[in-house]
Every structure is written in C-alpha cells, then in structure tokens.
Amino acid sequence: QVHLVESGGGLVQAGGSLRLSCAASGRTFSSIVKAWFRQAPEKEREFVAVIDGEESADYAESVKGRFTISREDAKKMVYLQMNNLKPEDTAVYYCAAGGRFGTSVQDFVHWGQGTQVTVSS
C-alpha cells in the first residue's frame, strides 16, 4: 500500500511559478515510477509529467520547457516545478505512483488527493 499527499497548490498570476510536492509513504519499493496528472472541470484527467527510477522524464507537449519533474528518493518525495504558468494550466493536480513508465491514468495504481492550482490572467 502506498500513500501519497500533495501540497504546494494555490492561486498565482499568469507568468508566475509554483512548486508542487508529493510525499510518499508505505510500501513504495514496487511503485518506483512517479507522475503528475491534472484535471480541469468537465475534462478528463490528463498526463503532465512522469519520472522513473533512473530520473528519465517525459512531459506533455503543452508543458515542455515550462515544467520540471524531479525526485528525492531518500525523502520519498517527488516535485513538479511549474514556471511561466498560463490560465489553461488551472486544474487539480494529482501525484501518482506505479510500477511502469507510462502516460495514461491506467498505468498508475496509487493516487494522491489532489491540490488545486489556479492561474489568473
């Protein structure tokens, strides 16, 4: 069992930055791949970024060059640094963990509760 807790969301002006954090606990050894997804009202949950145990990462095209995913395994933490935020980035952001490198919701077993990010224009 893996427990994930996100933090760091809030209200920010367009062009600003936020860093989201995700703290993991429990039996994390079999869920080494970590990812961020987001979900806006009336939309499906969409992939944002993923990172594996060797720190290889992939990003959605819409956030490339602006967002960076990273991890500190000794602290069981994963982060999402978000720069140059746009109003269309407004969503609930979710941390996820699983055993394989993927970009679909179905690739991940464990999920956090989500943290709201609102970007004003």
Side-chain angles (χ1 to χ4, degrees):
Q1 188 66 224
V2 176
H3 183 57
L4 304 172
V5 179
E6 303 98 331
S7 62
L11 176 65
V12 65
Q13 299 286 323
S17 298
L18 286 172
R19 189 178 80 153
L20 305 183
S21 299
C22 176
S25 61
R27 300 178 182 179
T28 61
F29 60 89
S30 62
S31 300
I32 194 66
V33 179
K34 303 297 195 299
W36 290 94
F37 289 75
R38 66 188 183 187
Q39 188 166 20
E42 305 299 322
K43 294 185 178 180
E44 293 186 359
R45 192 166 299 186
E46 67 173 352
F47 167 76
V48 176
V50 61
I51 187 167
D52 67 12
E54 289 69 49
E55 299 188 9
S56 296
D58 195 17
Y59 300 89
E61 194 68 30
S62 60
V63 307
K64 284 182 178 178
R66 300 189 297 122
F67 292 10
T68 303
I69 188 170
S70 62
R71 62 194 297 161
E72 292 185 82
D73 288 342
K75 298 181 179 180
K76 295 186 177 181
M77 297 289 291
V78 61
Y79 307 97
L80 185 68
Q81 178 66 46
M82 304 185 294
N83 297 326
N84 192 25
L85 283 160
K86 303 176 180 180
E88 51 262 46
D89 295 318
T90 295
V92 176
Y93 283 71
Y94 296 90
C95 179
R100 58 184 175 183
F101 192 92
T103 59
S104 297
V105 169
Q106 292 74 21
D107 292 320
F108 298 90
V109 178
H110 306 287
W111 295 84
Q113 82 288 350
T115 185
Q116 177 71 47
V117 172
T118 302
V119 184
S120 62
S121 60

